[in-house]
Amino acid sequence: MSSPTPRASSPLGWARHAAAAVAVALIVAACTNGTAAPGATSSVAGATATATATPTPTATPTLTPSATPSPSPTDSSTPAPTPTPAPTAKPTAKPTPLPPLAVGLCTAAQLKLTLTSWQNSGDSYAHVTATNVTSASCDMRGSARAEILDGHGNVIADAGSSAASVRNTDPVYTVAPNGTVNTILDWSNWCKSAPSQKVTVAMALPFDLGRIKAAALGNAPIPSCYTSSQPTAVSSEAWLP
């Protein structure tokens, strides 16, 4: 028995196999590239097959919502006290300028008052001296306000504020260091019980330049009473060298 002779493939069969192989190759290539070539066709067994690649859907980005900040917890602690503002410094008061007649006059800080003697002839007279105790010269002029003080330092006779005065016509006396000027106080009409001793005197300078007080000089003579309906009185003369 003879072996069957293989049947030669016909040209049409070979063409069909070749077309199928080409179509498979195109599909594989399209899958590899991610998209199929549009319009790629293959004909197998007389039929035309069109392979259309379905596009991969584009992913829609999802918006991430912004985080809403959590409300800050209410601070239940005691609020800090409001700082107390620093006290405003008071402006320094400017000294009042002296009037022209006061320029160069001695102040109480430059002088020492000494009670040198008492005399009595109905009125009591106190002789006093003002000494310049500084190293600079100063001037004395016009009159001071005389006061009589009892042994406790209480004013018992006062010439009044108008008694301290300087006029344009008053002479000027320059008092050098350790230099002196003098005046006399007249104390009159004492109708009360005798004041406590030791009685002394004080002088208040014009233009608020100060007040000088003398130390007591023994027991002072007390003036006579002339008119009980009138108060006691005191006055002083102008300063003299």
Side-chain angles (χ1 to χ4, degrees), residues 28-96:
V28 172
C31 291
T32 304
N33 295 332
T35 57
T41 59
S42 62
S43 298
V44 179
T48 303
T50 302
T52 303
T54 302
T56 302
T58 303
T60 302
T62 303
L63 297 176
T64 303
S66 300
T68 303
S70 301
S72 300
T74 303
D75 186 1
S76 60
S77 62
T78 303
T82 303
T84 303
T88 303
K90 294 182 180 180
T92 303
K94 294 182 179 180
T96 304

Short mmCIF file of all heavy atoms in Angstrom, two decimals, residues 28-96:
data_model
loop_
_atom_site.label_atom_id
_atom_site.label_comp_id
_atom_site.label_asym_id
_atom_site.label_seq_id
_atom_site.Cartn_x
_atom_site.Cartn_y
_atom_site.Cartn_z
N VAL A 28 -2.07 42.40 17.63
CA VAL A 28 -1.06 42.34 18.71
C VAL A 28 -0.30 43.65 18.81
O VAL A 28 -0.04 44.19 19.88
CB VAL A 28 -0.11 41.17 18.47
CG1 VAL A 28 1.06 41.23 19.47
CG2 VAL A 28 -0.85 39.87 18.61
N ALA A 29 0.07 44.23 17.65
CA ALA A 29 0.82 45.49 17.66
C ALA A 29 -0.02 46.62 18.25
O ALA A 29 0.46 47.46 18.99
CB ALA A 29 1.27 45.83 16.24
N ALA A 30 -1.31 46.59 17.91
CA ALA A 30 -2.19 47.65 18.43
C ALA A 30 -2.33 47.54 19.92
O ALA A 30 -2.33 48.53 20.66
CB ALA A 30 -3.55 47.57 17.73
N CYS A 31 -2.47 46.34 20.42
CA CYS A 31 -2.59 46.15 21.87
C CYS A 31 -1.31 46.57 22.57
O CYS A 31 -1.31 47.12 23.67
CB CYS A 31 -2.91 44.68 22.18
SG CYS A 31 -4.56 44.21 21.65
N THR A 32 -0.18 46.26 21.93
CA THR A 32 1.11 46.65 22.54
C THR A 32 1.24 48.15 22.66
O THR A 32 1.75 48.69 23.62
CB THR A 32 2.27 46.09 21.72
OG1 THR A 32 2.10 44.67 21.62
CG2 THR A 32 3.61 46.39 22.37
N ASN A 33 0.81 48.91 21.63
CA ASN A 33 0.92 50.37 21.62
C ASN A 33 -0.16 51.04 22.44
O ASN A 33 -0.17 52.24 22.62
CB ASN A 33 0.90 50.92 20.21
CG ASN A 33 2.12 50.49 19.40
OD1 ASN A 33 3.18 50.25 19.99
ND2 ASN A 33 1.97 50.37 18.08
N GLY A 34 -1.13 50.33 22.92
CA GLY A 34 -2.18 50.90 23.74
C GLY A 34 -3.36 51.35 22.96
O GLY A 34 -4.43 51.54 23.50
N THR A 35 -3.21 51.58 21.61
CA THR A 35 -4.34 52.01 20.77
C THR A 35 -4.25 51.26 19.46
O THR A 35 -3.17 50.98 18.95
CB THR A 35 -4.31 53.52 20.49
OG1 THR A 35 -3.08 53.86 19.89
CG2 THR A 35 -4.49 54.31 21.78
N ALA A 36 -5.35 50.97 18.93
CA ALA A 36 -5.38 50.29 17.62
C ALA A 36 -5.29 51.28 16.52
O ALA A 36 -5.83 52.38 16.63
CB ALA A 36 -6.67 49.47 17.48
N ALA A 37 -4.55 50.90 15.50
CA ALA A 37 -4.44 51.80 14.36
C ALA A 37 -5.79 51.95 13.73
O ALA A 37 -6.43 50.95 13.39
CB ALA A 37 -3.44 51.26 13.34
N PRO A 38 -6.29 53.16 13.62
CA PRO A 38 -7.62 53.33 13.03
C PRO A 38 -7.62 52.87 11.59
O PRO A 38 -6.72 53.10 10.82
CB PRO A 38 -7.85 54.84 13.15
CG PRO A 38 -6.50 55.45 13.22
CD PRO A 38 -5.64 54.46 13.93
N GLY A 39 -8.73 52.30 11.29
CA GLY A 39 -8.92 51.87 9.89
C GLY A 39 -8.18 50.65 9.49
O GLY A 39 -8.11 50.31 8.31
N ALA A 40 -7.49 49.96 10.50
CA ALA A 40 -6.75 48.75 10.13
C ALA A 40 -7.76 47.64 9.89
O ALA A 40 -8.62 47.37 10.72
CB ALA A 40 -5.79 48.36 11.25
N THR A 41 -7.64 46.95 8.75
CA THR A 41 -8.61 45.91 8.37
C THR A 41 -7.88 44.66 7.97
O THR A 41 -6.72 44.69 7.56
CB THR A 41 -9.50 46.36 7.20
OG1 THR A 41 -8.66 46.67 6.10
CG2 THR A 41 -10.31 47.60 7.58
N SER A 42 -8.56 43.51 8.12
CA SER A 42 -8.02 42.24 7.62
C SER A 42 -9.17 41.44 7.02
O SER A 42 -10.29 41.53 7.50
CB SER A 42 -7.36 41.47 8.77
OG SER A 42 -8.31 41.16 9.77
N SER A 43 -8.82 40.76 6.04
CA SER A 43 -9.83 39.93 5.35
C SER A 43 -9.48 38.49 5.57
O SER A 43 -8.39 38.05 5.27
CB SER A 43 -9.85 40.24 3.86
OG SER A 43 -10.20 41.60 3.66
N VAL A 44 -10.40 37.77 6.21
CA VAL A 44 -10.21 36.36 6.44
C VAL A 44 -11.38 35.65 5.83
O VAL A 44 -12.54 35.94 6.18
CB VAL A 44 -10.13 36.04 7.94
CG1 VAL A 44 -9.94 34.54 8.14
CG2 VAL A 44 -8.97 36.78 8.57
N ALA A 45 -11.08 34.64 4.97
CA ALA A 45 -12.09 33.81 4.30
C ALA A 45 -13.08 34.68 3.58
O ALA A 45 -14.30 34.47 3.67
CB ALA A 45 -12.78 32.89 5.31
N GLY A 46 -12.61 35.76 2.95
CA GLY A 46 -13.46 36.59 2.11
C GLY A 46 -14.21 37.64 2.89
O GLY A 46 -14.97 38.40 2.30
N ALA A 47 -14.07 37.64 4.25
CA ALA A 47 -14.79 38.67 5.05
C ALA A 47 -13.78 39.71 5.51
O ALA A 47 -12.66 39.40 5.86
CB ALA A 47 -15.45 38.02 6.27
N THR A 48 -14.20 40.98 5.52
CA THR A 48 -13.33 42.10 5.95
C THR A 48 -13.65 42.45 7.39
O THR A 48 -14.78 42.78 7.72
CB THR A 48 -13.54 43.33 5.07
OG1 THR A 48 -13.31 42.97 3.72
CG2 THR A 48 -12.63 44.46 5.51
N ALA A 49 -12.62 42.36 8.28
CA ALA A 49 -12.81 42.69 9.71
C ALA A 49 -12.11 44.00 10.03
O ALA A 49 -10.95 44.15 9.70
CB ALA A 49 -12.27 41.56 10.60
N THR A 50 -12.82 44.91 10.64
CA THR A 50 -12.23 46.23 11.02
C THR A 50 -12.03 46.24 12.53
O THR A 50 -12.97 46.05 13.30
CB THR A 50 -13.15 47.37 10.64
OG1 THR A 50 -13.39 47.33 9.25
CG2 THR A 50 -12.54 48.71 11.05
N ALA A 51 -10.80 46.42 12.94
CA ALA A 51 -10.48 46.44 14.39
C ALA A 51 -10.38 47.90 14.85
O ALA A 51 -9.52 48.62 14.39
CB ALA A 51 -9.18 45.70 14.65
N THR A 52 -11.27 48.30 15.69
CA THR A 52 -11.25 49.69 16.21
C THR A 52 -10.87 49.64 17.68
O THR A 52 -11.53 48.97 18.49
CB THR A 52 -12.63 50.34 16.06
OG1 THR A 52 -13.01 50.31 14.70
CG2 THR A 52 -12.59 51.77 16.58
N ALA A 53 -9.84 50.33 18.02
CA ALA A 53 -9.37 50.31 19.42
C ALA A 53 -10.24 51.23 20.26
O ALA A 53 -10.55 52.33 19.86
CB ALA A 53 -7.93 50.77 19.51
N THR A 54 -10.68 50.75 21.41
CA THR A 54 -11.48 51.58 22.33
C THR A 54 -10.52 52.41 23.17
O THR A 54 -9.63 51.89 23.84
CB THR A 54 -12.30 50.68 23.26
OG1 THR A 54 -13.13 49.86 22.44
CG2 THR A 54 -13.16 51.52 24.20
N PRO A 55 -10.70 53.75 23.09
CA PRO A 55 -9.76 54.60 23.86
C PRO A 55 -9.90 54.37 25.35
O PRO A 55 -10.99 54.13 25.85
CB PRO A 55 -10.16 56.02 23.47
CG PRO A 55 -11.59 55.92 23.05
CD PRO A 55 -11.73 54.57 22.43
N THR A 56 -8.75 54.40 26.03
CA THR A 56 -8.75 54.24 27.50
C THR A 56 -9.37 55.48 28.13
O THR A 56 -8.95 56.59 27.83
CB THR A 56 -7.33 54.07 28.01
OG1 THR A 56 -6.75 52.93 27.35
CG2 THR A 56 -7.31 53.85 29.53
N PRO A 57 -10.40 55.30 28.97
CA PRO A 57 -11.04 56.50 29.56
C PRO A 57 -10.05 57.27 30.44
O PRO A 57 -9.28 56.68 31.17
CB PRO A 57 -12.19 55.91 30.38
CG PRO A 57 -11.78 54.51 30.66
CD PRO A 57 -11.01 54.06 29.45
N THR A 58 -10.10 58.60 30.26
CA THR A 58 -9.22 59.47 31.07
C THR A 58 -9.79 59.61 32.47
O THR A 58 -10.97 59.92 32.64
CB THR A 58 -9.11 60.86 30.43
OG1 THR A 58 -8.63 60.69 29.08
CG2 THR A 58 -8.15 61.76 31.23
N ALA A 59 -8.97 59.38 33.42
CA ALA A 59 -9.45 59.46 34.81
C ALA A 59 -9.73 60.91 35.18
O ALA A 59 -8.93 61.80 34.94
CB ALA A 59 -8.40 58.89 35.75
N THR A 60 -10.95 61.14 35.69
CA THR A 60 -11.33 62.50 36.11
C THR A 60 -10.70 62.79 37.47
O THR A 60 -10.90 62.04 38.42
CB THR A 60 -12.85 62.62 36.23
OG1 THR A 60 -13.42 62.30 34.98
CG2 THR A 60 -13.25 64.05 36.67
N PRO A 61 -9.91 63.91 37.59
CA PRO A 61 -9.25 64.19 38.88
C PRO A 61 -10.28 64.51 39.95
O PRO A 61 -11.25 65.20 39.72
CB PRO A 61 -8.36 65.40 38.58
CG PRO A 61 -8.99 66.05 37.40
CD PRO A 61 -9.59 64.93 36.58
N THR A 62 -10.06 63.92 41.07
CA THR A 62 -10.96 64.17 42.21
C THR A 62 -10.38 65.29 43.06
O THR A 62 -9.23 65.24 43.47
CB THR A 62 -11.09 62.90 43.08
OG1 THR A 62 -11.55 61.84 42.25
CG2 THR A 62 -12.07 63.13 44.23
N LEU A 63 -11.20 66.34 43.26
CA LEU A 63 -10.75 67.48 44.06
C LEU A 63 -10.77 67.11 45.54
O LEU A 63 -11.77 66.61 46.05
CB LEU A 63 -11.65 68.70 43.83
CG LEU A 63 -11.66 69.26 42.40
CD1 LEU A 63 -12.67 70.40 42.30
CD2 LEU A 63 -10.28 69.73 42.02
N THR A 64 -9.64 67.33 46.15
CA THR A 64 -9.56 67.08 47.60
C THR A 64 -10.10 68.30 48.34
O THR A 64 -9.60 69.40 48.15
CB THR A 64 -8.11 66.84 48.03
OG1 THR A 64 -7.59 65.74 47.28
CG2 THR A 64 -8.03 66.54 49.54
N PRO A 65 -11.15 68.15 49.12
CA PRO A 65 -11.72 69.34 49.83
C PRO A 65 -10.72 69.92 50.82
O PRO A 65 -9.99 69.19 51.47
CB PRO A 65 -12.96 68.76 50.53
CG PRO A 65 -12.65 67.30 50.68
CD PRO A 65 -11.84 66.92 49.47
N SER A 66 -10.70 71.26 50.83
CA SER A 66 -9.80 71.93 51.78
C SER A 66 -10.27 71.65 53.21
O SER A 66 -11.47 71.65 53.49
CB SER A 66 -9.80 73.44 51.54
OG SER A 66 -9.36 73.72 50.23
N ALA A 67 -9.30 71.42 54.06
CA ALA A 67 -9.64 71.13 55.44
C ALA A 67 -10.15 72.40 56.11
O ALA A 67 -9.54 73.45 56.01
CB ALA A 67 -8.42 70.60 56.19
N THR A 68 -11.32 72.33 56.71
CA THR A 68 -11.88 73.47 57.43
C THR A 68 -11.18 73.61 58.76
O THR A 68 -11.15 72.65 59.54
CB THR A 68 -13.39 73.27 57.65
OG1 THR A 68 -14.01 73.08 56.39
CG2 THR A 68 -14.00 74.49 58.37
N PRO A 69 -10.57 74.76 59.00
CA PRO A 69 -9.84 74.89 60.28
C PRO A 69 -10.79 74.77 61.46
O PRO A 69 -11.89 75.31 61.45
CB PRO A 69 -9.22 76.29 60.20
CG PRO A 69 -10.07 77.03 59.21
CD PRO A 69 -10.55 76.00 58.23
N SER A 70 -10.33 74.01 62.42
CA SER A 70 -11.14 73.85 63.63
C SER A 70 -11.15 75.17 64.40
O SER A 70 -10.15 75.86 64.47
CB SER A 70 -10.56 72.74 64.52
OG SER A 70 -10.52 71.53 63.80
N PRO A 71 -12.30 75.53 64.94
CA PRO A 71 -12.34 76.78 65.71
C PRO A 71 -11.43 76.68 66.94
O PRO A 71 -11.33 75.63 67.56
CB PRO A 71 -13.82 76.91 66.11
CG PRO A 71 -14.34 75.51 66.03
CD PRO A 71 -13.58 74.84 64.93
N SER A 72 -10.76 77.79 67.20
CA SER A 72 -9.86 77.80 68.35
C SER A 72 -10.68 77.67 69.63
O SER A 72 -11.73 78.31 69.76
CB SER A 72 -9.07 79.12 68.41
OG SER A 72 -8.31 79.24 67.24
N PRO A 73 -10.23 76.85 70.52
CA PRO A 73 -10.99 76.71 71.78
C PRO A 73 -10.99 78.03 72.54
O PRO A 73 -10.03 78.78 72.53
CB PRO A 73 -10.22 75.62 72.53
CG PRO A 73 -8.85 75.67 71.97
CD PRO A 73 -9.01 76.04 70.52
N THR A 74 -12.11 78.34 73.13
CA THR A 74 -12.22 79.58 73.91
C THR A 74 -11.32 79.51 75.12
O THR A 74 -11.33 78.54 75.87
CB THR A 74 -13.68 79.77 74.37
OG1 THR A 74 -14.51 79.76 73.22
CG2 THR A 74 -13.83 81.09 75.14
N ASP A 75 -10.50 80.57 75.24
CA ASP A 75 -9.58 80.61 76.37
C ASP A 75 -10.36 80.99 77.62
O ASP A 75 -10.84 82.11 77.75
CB ASP A 75 -8.48 81.64 76.10
CG ASP A 75 -7.42 81.60 77.19
OD1 ASP A 75 -7.54 80.78 78.10
OD2 ASP A 75 -6.48 82.42 77.10
N SER A 76 -10.53 80.03 78.48
CA SER A 76 -11.31 80.28 79.70
C SER A 76 -10.46 80.79 80.84
O SER A 76 -10.96 80.99 81.94
CB SER A 76 -12.01 78.98 80.13
OG SER A 76 -11.05 77.96 80.38
N SER A 77 -9.17 80.96 80.56
CA SER A 77 -8.29 81.44 81.63
C SER A 77 -8.54 82.92 81.89
O SER A 77 -9.12 83.63 81.07
CB SER A 77 -6.82 81.22 81.25
OG SER A 77 -6.51 81.96 80.09
N THR A 78 -8.11 83.40 83.04
CA THR A 78 -8.29 84.81 83.41
C THR A 78 -7.45 85.69 82.51
O THR A 78 -6.25 85.45 82.34
CB THR A 78 -7.88 85.02 84.87
OG1 THR A 78 -8.63 84.14 85.69
CG2 THR A 78 -8.13 86.48 85.29
N PRO A 79 -8.06 86.72 81.87
CA PRO A 79 -7.27 87.58 80.97
C PRO A 79 -6.18 88.31 81.73
O PRO A 79 -6.32 88.63 82.90
CB PRO A 79 -8.32 88.56 80.42
CG PRO A 79 -9.42 88.56 81.44
CD PRO A 79 -9.44 87.15 82.00
N ALA A 80 -5.09 88.57 81.03
CA ALA A 80 -3.97 89.27 81.64
C ALA A 80 -4.40 90.68 82.00
O ALA A 80 -5.11 91.33 81.24
CB ALA A 80 -2.78 89.31 80.68
N PRO A 81 -4.00 91.18 83.16
CA PRO A 81 -4.41 92.54 83.55
C PRO A 81 -3.81 93.58 82.63
O PRO A 81 -2.71 93.43 82.12
CB PRO A 81 -3.85 92.67 84.98
CG PRO A 81 -2.72 91.68 85.04
CD PRO A 81 -3.14 90.54 84.15
N THR A 82 -4.59 94.62 82.40
CA THR A 82 -4.11 95.71 81.56
C THR A 82 -2.99 96.44 82.28
O THR A 82 -3.14 96.83 83.43
CB THR A 82 -5.25 96.70 81.27
OG1 THR A 82 -6.32 95.98 80.65
CG2 THR A 82 -4.77 97.83 80.36
N PRO A 83 -1.83 96.58 81.62
CA PRO A 83 -0.70 97.24 82.31
C PRO A 83 -1.05 98.68 82.66
O PRO A 83 -1.67 99.38 81.88
CB PRO A 83 0.43 97.17 81.28
CG PRO A 83 -0.25 96.97 79.96
CD PRO A 83 -1.50 96.19 80.26
N THR A 84 -0.67 99.06 83.85
CA THR A 84 -0.91 100.43 84.30
C THR A 84 0.13 101.35 83.67
O THR A 84 1.32 101.09 83.77
CB THR A 84 -0.81 100.52 85.84
OG1 THR A 84 -1.74 99.61 86.40
CG2 THR A 84 -1.11 101.95 86.31
N PRO A 85 -0.32 102.40 82.98
CA PRO A 85 0.66 103.29 82.35
C PRO A 85 1.53 103.97 83.39
O PRO A 85 1.10 104.26 84.51
CB PRO A 85 -0.23 104.31 81.60
CG PRO A 85 -1.55 104.25 82.30
CD PRO A 85 -1.70 102.83 82.79
N ALA A 86 2.76 104.16 83.01
CA ALA A 86 3.70 104.82 83.93
C ALA A 86 3.25 106.24 84.18
O ALA A 86 2.74 106.91 83.28
CB ALA A 86 5.11 104.81 83.32
N PRO A 87 3.37 106.70 85.41
CA PRO A 87 2.93 108.07 85.70
C PRO A 87 3.74 109.08 84.90
O PRO A 87 4.94 108.95 84.72
CB PRO A 87 3.18 108.21 87.21
CG PRO A 87 4.22 107.17 87.52
CD PRO A 87 3.95 106.03 86.56
N THR A 88 3.03 110.05 84.41
CA THR A 88 3.69 111.09 83.63
C THR A 88 4.41 112.04 84.56
O THR A 88 3.84 112.53 85.54
CB THR A 88 2.65 111.87 82.80
OG1 THR A 88 1.95 110.95 81.97
CG2 THR A 88 3.34 112.93 81.94
N ALA A 89 5.67 112.23 84.27
CA ALA A 89 6.45 113.12 85.12
C ALA A 89 5.92 114.55 85.00
O ALA A 89 5.65 115.04 83.91
CB ALA A 89 7.93 113.09 84.73
N LYS A 90 5.76 115.19 86.14
CA LYS A 90 5.29 116.56 86.12
C LYS A 90 6.41 117.47 85.64
O LYS A 90 7.57 117.29 86.01
CB LYS A 90 4.85 116.98 87.53
CG LYS A 90 3.64 116.22 88.03
CD LYS A 90 3.22 116.73 89.42
CE LYS A 90 1.99 115.98 89.91
NZ LYS A 90 1.57 116.46 91.26
N PRO A 91 6.04 118.42 84.78
CA PRO A 91 7.09 119.33 84.30
C PRO A 91 7.65 120.16 85.45
O PRO A 91 6.94 120.56 86.38
CB PRO A 91 6.34 120.23 83.29
CG PRO A 91 4.89 120.12 83.70
CD PRO A 91 4.72 118.73 84.25
N THR A 92 8.95 120.37 85.40
CA THR A 92 9.60 121.16 86.43
C THR A 92 9.20 122.63 86.28
O THR A 92 9.30 123.19 85.19
CB THR A 92 11.12 121.03 86.32
OG1 THR A 92 11.47 119.64 86.42
CG2 THR A 92 11.82 121.80 87.42
N ALA A 93 8.71 123.17 87.37
CA ALA A 93 8.27 124.57 87.33
C ALA A 93 9.47 125.49 87.13
O ALA A 93 10.49 125.34 87.79
CB ALA A 93 7.54 124.92 88.62
N LYS A 94 9.32 126.40 86.20
CA LYS A 94 10.39 127.36 85.96
C LYS A 94 10.33 128.44 87.03
O LYS A 94 9.26 128.91 87.41
CB LYS A 94 10.24 127.99 84.58
CG LYS A 94 10.43 127.00 83.44
CD LYS A 94 10.31 127.70 82.10
CE LYS A 94 10.53 126.72 80.96
NZ LYS A 94 10.42 127.39 79.64
N PRO A 95 11.48 128.83 87.57
CA PRO A 95 11.47 129.88 88.60
C PRO A 95 10.96 131.19 88.03
O PRO A 95 11.24 131.55 86.88
CB PRO A 95 12.94 129.97 89.02
CG PRO A 95 13.71 129.42 87.86
CD PRO A 95 12.83 128.37 87.24
N THR A 96 10.18 131.89 88.84
CA THR A 96 9.66 133.19 88.42
C THR A 96 10.80 134.20 88.43
O THR A 96 11.52 134.32 89.42
CB THR A 96 8.55 133.65 89.38
OG1 THR A 96 7.54 132.65 89.43
CG2 THR A 96 7.97 134.99 88.94
#
